[in-house]
Structures are given as structure tokens and as C-alpha cells.
Amino acid sequence: QQWYSSSMKVICMWLGDRLDLQLHIYQLKTLIKIVKKTYRDFRLQGVLEGTLNSKTYDTVHSRLTVEEATVSVTDAGGLQGITMKDSDE
């Protein structure tokens, strides 16, 4: 749980430092993969939903979703199928 929380905090702080900058497409694709994989792996390890869906995770998820929407409008096909939407949905 501590490792998951720390990982999300680092990503959240990194995104916060770049709040006024749009992410490059490669940064966005990489972060989406990291966040989704981290979330899924820790969910499979039995980390509680309250820890997984923390305020920090919500902040990261929201920012990446907004960045994803921006890229989809400005650069058609730029993410090549990589999305924050969970495949379970």
C-alpha cells in the first residue's frame, strides 16, 4: 500500500510541477501505461479500494484524462489506442 501511494504521489507531484504545460504525446502515453499498470497490479495484489482510489490517484487520473482529450482533438490518432479508460468498462 505504501509503495502504491508513494508512486502515485510522485506522479502527481511531477504533473503538478507541469500544470501550466501540455504533456508531450510520448510523456502522456508513457504515464497512461504506468498509471494503469500500477493500478491493476496493486489491485491484483489485494490493495484495498480506498487506497487504490485515493485523492492522489483521482487527481492523476483526471489530469491524464484531460490531456488525453486534448491530444485526441489536436492530434488525430496520436495515442494509437492508448487510453485512460479501463478495458473492464
Side-chain angles (χ1 to χ4, degrees), residues 14-63:
W14 189 85
L15 287 171
D17 291 344
R18 290 151 184 81
L19 196 56
D20 56 340
L21 302 172
Q22 182 178 350
L23 297 177
H24 188 275
I25 188 131
Y26 297 111
Q27 290 174 319
L28 180 59
K29 287 166 76 171
T30 302
L31 284 172
I32 287 173
K33 287 179 182 180
I34 289 169
V35 169
K36 287 178 72 173
K37 177 133 180 68
T38 302
Y39 183 91
R40 287 184 180 142
D41 286 353
F42 280 91
R43 184 178 64 191
L44 288 173
Q45 292 297 323
V47 174
L48 300 174
E49 288 291 321
T51 303
L52 289 173
N53 296 318
S54 65
K55 177 82 169 139
T56 305
Y57 172 77
D58 288 342
T59 302
V60 169
H61 189 276
S62 295
R63 170 72 187 273

